[in-house]
Amino acid sequence: MIKQEEVYKIGRLGKSHGVKGEVSFQFDDDIFDRVDADYLVLDIDGILVPFFMEEYRFRSDTICLVKFKNIDTQQRAQELTGCDVFFPRSLAEEGDEMPSLSMLVGFEIISVPDGSAIGKIAAIDDSTANILFELEDGTLIPANDDLIEMIDADQQQIKMEIPQGLLALR
C-alpha cells in the first residue's frame, strides 16, 4: 500500500482525449519526464494507486496527454477525470540533484542557527516572481536561495536563515 508521505502531488487529470483511452494531465512538476519513471500514482477515492504509463506527449508547458496501460476506451479514461496525480519521492530523490518545489510540500522548516522548528510547508505560492513557502499555520516564508542553508530530503527538513522579525508577523 502506498502511503501519503511516500508521494507528493504533481498535478491533476482532466478530460479524456479521443477514443483510445488518453487523458489530459495538467502538471505543476515535470519530474515524470526528467526521471525514468514507469508509473504515476493516482488518488482513486482516497486510495493511492499506481498506474503504469504506455506513453505521453506534451501539449504545452503544463499539459500533456497520457495513455495508461489497460485504459483503452474513452469511458475508462473518463473515470479518471479529476484524479489528483502524485509522484514517488524515492524516484524523485534518485534522479534529481535538487528537489523540485512541489516535492518540498510537507517538509519541516528549521531555523538556523538555533535549530527550532518553524512549521511544515503546506503549499508553495509561485504565483509571483517571489516564491513563498506557505506553512500549515498560514505563515509565509520567502523561498529565497540566499535564505536556504540546506535541504535534507531524507529527514524532510529545510534549514533556513529566517529574517529577523519575520516570525513576529504571525
Side-chain angles (χ1 to χ4, degrees), residues 96-108:
D96 266 359
E97 63 284 342
M98 186 66 181
S100 65
L101 285 175
S102 300
M103 188 177 163
L104 298 178
V105 172
F107 277 41
E108 183 85 27

Side-chain angles (χ1 to χ4, degrees), residues 5-45:
E5 58 270 8
E6 295 173 346
V7 296
Y8 67 99
K9 186 176 174 183
I10 62 169
R12 186 175 189 93
L13 295 181
K15 301 187 303 184
S16 62
H17 180 81
V19 294
K20 305 239 187 226
E22 282 186 314
V23 63
S24 67
F25 169 34
Q26 184 168 2
F27 56 90
D28 302 319
D29 187 346
D30 67 350
I31 186 77
F32 65 94
D33 188 49
R34 293 182 282 130
V35 173
D36 188 22
D38 297 329
Y39 66 96
L40 296 173
V41 178
L42 304 184
D43 183 342
I44 307 289
D45 297 327

Side-chain angles (χ1 to χ4, degrees), residues 49-167:
V49 181
F51 277 75
F52 288 85
M53 296 181 286
E54 278 185 19
E55 63 184 3
Y56 59 88
R57 63 182 195 265
F58 290 93
R59 299 286 284 208
S60 70
D61 289 344
T62 59
I63 296 176
C64 72
L65 297 176
V66 179
K67 171 71 176 77
F68 292 110
K69 289 183 181 176
N70 301 321
I71 305 295
D72 296 326
T73 64
Q74 183 179 16
Q75 181 180 356
R76 293 279 321 266
Q78 285 174 338
E79 293 171 3
L80 301 177
T81 297
C83 287
D84 287 333
V85 180
F86 296 84
F87 195 79
R89 288 184 186 275
S90 59
L91 290 178
E93 291 166 4
E94 288 174 12
D96 266 359
E97 63 284 342
M98 186 66 181
S100 65
L101 285 175
S102 300
M103 188 177 163
L104 298 178
V105 172
F107 277 41
E108 183 85 27
I109 293 184
I110 306 296
S111 178
V112 173
D114 66 358
S116 63
I118 305 303
K120 282 193 175 192
I121 299 173
I124 307 290
D125 181 351
D126 60 357
S127 60
T128 66
N130 297 316
I131 298 170
L132 300 169
F133 294 136
E134 183 178 337
L135 303 185
E136 291 174 338
D137 67 0
T139 303
L140 297 174
I141 307 272
N144 187 302
D145 288 342
D146 295 336
L147 301 177
I148 298 173
E149 297 283 326
M150 183 180 87
I151 298 175
D152 184 343
D154 293 332
Q155 297 293 316
Q156 293 193 356
Q157 293 181 339
I158 302 173
K159 295 186 179 175
M160 294 185 70
E161 178 108 16
I162 306 295
Q164 189 171 7
L166 181 68
L167 297 178

